[in-house]
Amino acid sequence: MDDAVVARLRADFPILTRTVHGRPLVYLDHAASSQRPTAVLDAVHEHYVTRHANVHRGAHQLSAESTDAYEEARATVARFLGAPSPRSLVFVRNATEGLNLLARSWGDAHLGPGDEIVVTVAEHHANLVPWQQAAQRTGAVIRAVPLGPDQRLDLDAYRALLSPRTKVVAVAHMSNVLGVVHPVAEIAEAAHAVGARVFVDGAQAAPHLPVDVAALGVDAYAVSGHKMLGPTGIGALWVEEELLASMPPFLGGGEMIRTVEIERSTYADIPMRFEAGTPAVAEAVGLAAAVRYLEAVGMEAIWRHDRALADLALERFAELDGVRVFGPVGSDRGGIVPFVVEGVHPHDVATALDSEGVAVRAGHHCAQPLMRALGVQSTVRASTHLTTPTSEIETLVRAVRGARDFFAAFA
Amino acid sequence: MSLMEQIYKEVIVERSRRPKRRGAVDPRTHEQEGLNPSCGDELNLTLRVAGDRIEAAAFEGQGCAISQASADLMAEALEGRTLEEARALHAAFRAMLRGEPPAAELGDLQALQGVAKLHARVKCATLPWTTFEGAMQGRSGPIDVDVEPEAELPS
């Protein structure tokens, strides 16, 4: 997308007009949370203003309309992810909750002593800690795929880890630190060959590239609404339909039951079985609006845009002495650029950037094992999205140079 | 003066690079680990207290310039003070980071006044002090900076 297209998109995002410390906001923290276009805010507002009521139990018109809007949102998100049916899409709070649902419901039912859970060293804590907890409950063991020398996953090591003991492979579609897209289809094929399930953390990929869960051949895929232009508090978990239908409930309560007696209950069919309590109806409606916005721009176009920005950032940073960038270079690299400035702590770099209006994240990015593998305690991380113009990459690089020089000036 | 110049005073960068109180007090009466789980900063504070007076204080650990300089300046400021004086100093330090004019008793600690302008970095400066309070309470196990109340409750 050229800068004229990006400028038109930016006009849809009111927050991008604000200033920070007297400078125009340069928002490069999309990997942590994206911003929302007016269309999403309007959809949430319209829901509350015109039709809100509780869903799935209404004897009245508003409830019927709210239920329709909620189920239409489910169908929209399912279609966006390439799911064959909306029945297999569960609304959750965020990808973290979706991954916990898998580890609790599927994990407790299928894991036992000596079974192996394969994760990668690049996983976000959200796709690692729930499996550690499952391992503690069931006696299963965790194995981790290391990085190869090019900072991509070491697929040979991955294949060597697989065995009949492998019951599940938990992997991110796109690393939230290195920006690299993992070869999930290849990973899934190898896992299925030994009878293991493949559960994917799609929090970073779904907002930035076309996702087709059927084509990927995976068993489950979790996303967070707030990273894909939607509201906070809403996410989605797609699970292959037969598998989802076989899974026990995660949370108990209203909505997820069929019949309830004092000592026992029978459970609702999917997907309701996994949606205890009143769901985040307005947020689901907002997420559907976000999905329609992304589709209108085009996921292929957004992915090409992010890749071009990543290439530009990597090229500019390579010209800067004293700046070290992580992650591979290539067509599998999206708009997430982690880096360190030699001799300056990442938080101090981030503060220097913040003082110029440039919003980035600094820290371990909820990926402490990956930080250890990279040999750092933390990094700065800049991340782009469809509203990032090339000028913001230039501003970022200028601000990083300024930060480097500011701290170098002290004796 | 730019925002950066207000925050990163010469003494802060200097102390973060060449701290005067880095190390471990030996023998020691108190030891406490402090963590900022959200950013990974970690600190190990050791103290020797005789009666009600802090004879020696030192720290080890890693983190940003603000947390390192704050730890170094704190360790230096604590030495020779009574526990009561140390607690009063902590209160004055926190007041400064809430944006109040710095008390004279803060001395070199006043260099951290600029941090009050950046809400995102206040915890970096308070981590050493939270760790110190943990040491005084004889806590077992590491203390997280997150246990610190972020803001006063509305009254």
Side-chain angles (χ1 to χ4, degrees):
Chain A
M1 296 188 291
D2 63 26
D3 283 347
V5 174
V6 172
R8 276 203 302 281
L9 296 178
R10 288 176 68 83
D12 295 333
F13 292 73
I15 202 171
L16 298 179
T17 60
R18 72 161 281 180
T19 57
V20 170
H21 304 306
R23 307 295 178 95
L25 169 65
V26 173
Y27 190 77
L28 292 172
D29 199 18
H30 296 277
S33 197
S34 62
Q35 299 295 351
R36 285 104 197 87
T38 310
V40 169
L41 307 175
D42 287 351
V44 174
H45 187 255
E46 188 206 3
H47 173 79
Y48 281 126
V49 166
T50 66
R51 74 173 91 85
H52 181 72
N54 213 329
V55 292
H56 296 140
R57 52 179 134 237
H60 60 84
Q61 181 63 22
L62 293 190
S63 176
E65 289 181 17
S66 284
T67 302
D68 286 350
Y70 183 66
E71 291 305 324
E72 195 249 55
R74 190 194 306 280
T76 302
V77 177
R79 185 196 65 221
F80 179 73
L81 295 175
S85 154
R87 274 169 50 83
S88 53
L89 191 113
V90 178
F91 279 124
V92 288
R93 271 192 305 148
N94 44 38
T96 295
E97 186 176 285
L99 298 167
N100 274 274
L101 189 162
L102 292 169
R104 272 274 173 193
S105 170
W106 183 89
D108 286 9
H110 290 91
L111 295 172
D115 286 344
E116 294 187 355
I117 301 164
V118 171
V119 299
T120 84
V121 74
E123 291 314 300
H124 188 286
H125 297 164
N127 204 24
L128 180 57
V129 179
W131 294 111
Q132 293 172 350
Q133 294 172 315
Q136 279 161 10
R137 289 191 300 270
T138 63
V141 180
I142 295 192
R143 300 267 180 258
V145 182
L147 295 184
D150 61 354
Q151 296 186 340
R152 288 182 174 88
L153 291 180
D154 183 339
L155 291 184
D156 290 337
Y158 165 65
R159 287 194 192 86
L161 279 177
L162 293 175
S163 79
R165 289 187 303 278
T166 312
K167 292 293 178 286
V168 58
V169 176
V171 61
H173 194 178
M174 179 176 179
S175 163
N176 73 309
V177 176
L178 299 173
V180 65
V181 176
H182 298 144
V184 166
E186 202 179 330
I187 287 169
E189 203 180 342
H192 287 156
V194 297
R197 295 289 186 180
V198 178
F199 296 155
V200 179
D201 171 3
Q204 293 297 338
H208 295 275
L209 54 95
V211 172
D212 185 331
V213 291
L216 287 173
V218 299
D219 298 294
Y221 197 97
V223 302
S224 282
H226 74 97
K227 290 193 203 289
M228 45 196 287
L229 316 185
T232 54
I234 187 79
L237 173 69
W238 171 81
V239 184
E240 189 275 314
E241 192 166 329
E242 226 168 280
L243 177 62
L244 185 65
S246 75
M247 283 165 46
F250 170 47
L251 300 174
E255 296 251 356
M256 53 73 73
I257 48 81
R258 181 167 288 137
T259 59
V260 176
E261 295 169 60
I262 287 296
E263 287 176 350
R264 69 190 67 80
S265 300
T266 58
Y267 302 123
D269 203 355
I270 60 168
M272 304 285 291
R273 188 190 308 159
F274 296 95
E275 294 183 0
T278 299
V281 183
E283 288 78 4
V285 168
L287 176 56
V291 161
R292 284 192 292 271
Y293 188 93
L294 288 168
E295 286 175 333
V297 176
M299 294 312 295
E300 282 289 354
I302 293 170
W303 177 234
R304 278 197 304 272
H305 181 65
D306 277 322
R307 274 173 46 197
L309 292 170
D311 284 348
L312 177 65
L314 295 174
E315 191 184 313
R316 289 284 185 276
F317 277 136
E319 296 160 4
L320 268 192
D321 285 341
V323 177
R324 202 170 127 221
V325 180
F326 301 91
V329 180
S331 60
D332 55 351
R333 173 66 179 267
I336 298 178
V337 182
F339 62 94
V340 294
V341 176
E342 304 291 346
V344 187
H345 192 279
H347 274 102
D348 298 317
V349 176
T351 291
L353 301 191
D354 185 41
S355 77
E356 299 289 327
V358 180
V360 294
R361 179 151 179 206
H364 51 60
H365 317 295
C366 299
Q368 290 183 15
L370 178 58
M371 294 293 111
R372 271 176 225 117
L374 296 174
V376 291
Q377 193 201 15
S378 59
T379 76
V380 190
R381 179 187 71 181
S383 52
T384 67
H385 208 177
L386 71 176
T387 51
T388 310
T390 51
S391 62
E392 288 193 339
I393 300 299
E394 305 292 355
T395 304
L396 166 71
V397 173
R398 202 161 50 240
V400 172
R401 184 189 297 114
R404 180 198 66 182
D405 295 348
F406 176 86
F407 287 103
F410 293 92
Chain B
M1 200 171 11
S2 75
L3 186 57
M4 284 297 283
E5 287 163 342
Q6 290 175 58
I7 295 160
Y8 293 94
K9 301 273 177 56
E10 180 110 33
V11 59
I12 292 184
V13 178
E14 168 67 20
R15 287 301 190 97
S16 71
R17 289 181 183 173
R18 283 175 285 274
K20 295 182 179 178
R21 291 292 183 278
R22 180 176 284 280
V25 174
D26 190 28
R28 53 184 170 258
T29 55
H30 294 74
E31 179 164 5
Q32 179 68 49
E33 190 184 343
L35 293 172
N36 185 342
S38 66
C39 70
D41 281 5
E42 55 192 36
L43 190 68
N44 196 55
L45 180 68
T46 49
L47 301 158
R48 183 166 63 251
V49 180
D52 70 343
R53 198 168 290 278
I54 300 166
E55 285 186 351
F59 77 101
E60 287 171 330
Q62 51 183 340
C64 63
I66 292 168
S67 73
Q68 298 295 288
S70 180
D72 197 48
L73 290 166
M74 178 190 79
E76 189 180 47
L78 289 177
E79 283 186 359
R81 289 187 199 257
T82 65
L83 297 179
E84 195 180 330
E85 288 166 350
R87 274 192 281 270
L89 197 64
H90 183 191
F93 185 73
R94 293 181 63 91
M96 178 178 78
L97 290 182
R98 283 196 302 269
E100 293 172 28
E105 64 184 299
L106 286 167
D108 286 349
L109 293 165
Q110 291 182 21
L112 288 154
Q113 186 187 359
V115 177
K117 292 179 190 299
L118 278 183
H119 184 70
R121 303 303 302 278
V122 167
K123 277 184 180 176
C124 308
T126 55
L127 172 63
W129 289 95
T130 309
T131 308
F132 168 66
E133 290 291 348
M136 290 299 97
Q137 290 160 14
R139 289 176 57 98
S140 60
I143 188 166
D144 292 352
V145 73
D146 286 344
V147 301
E148 198 174 19
E150 260 294 88
E152 311 292 318
L153 289 171
S155 51

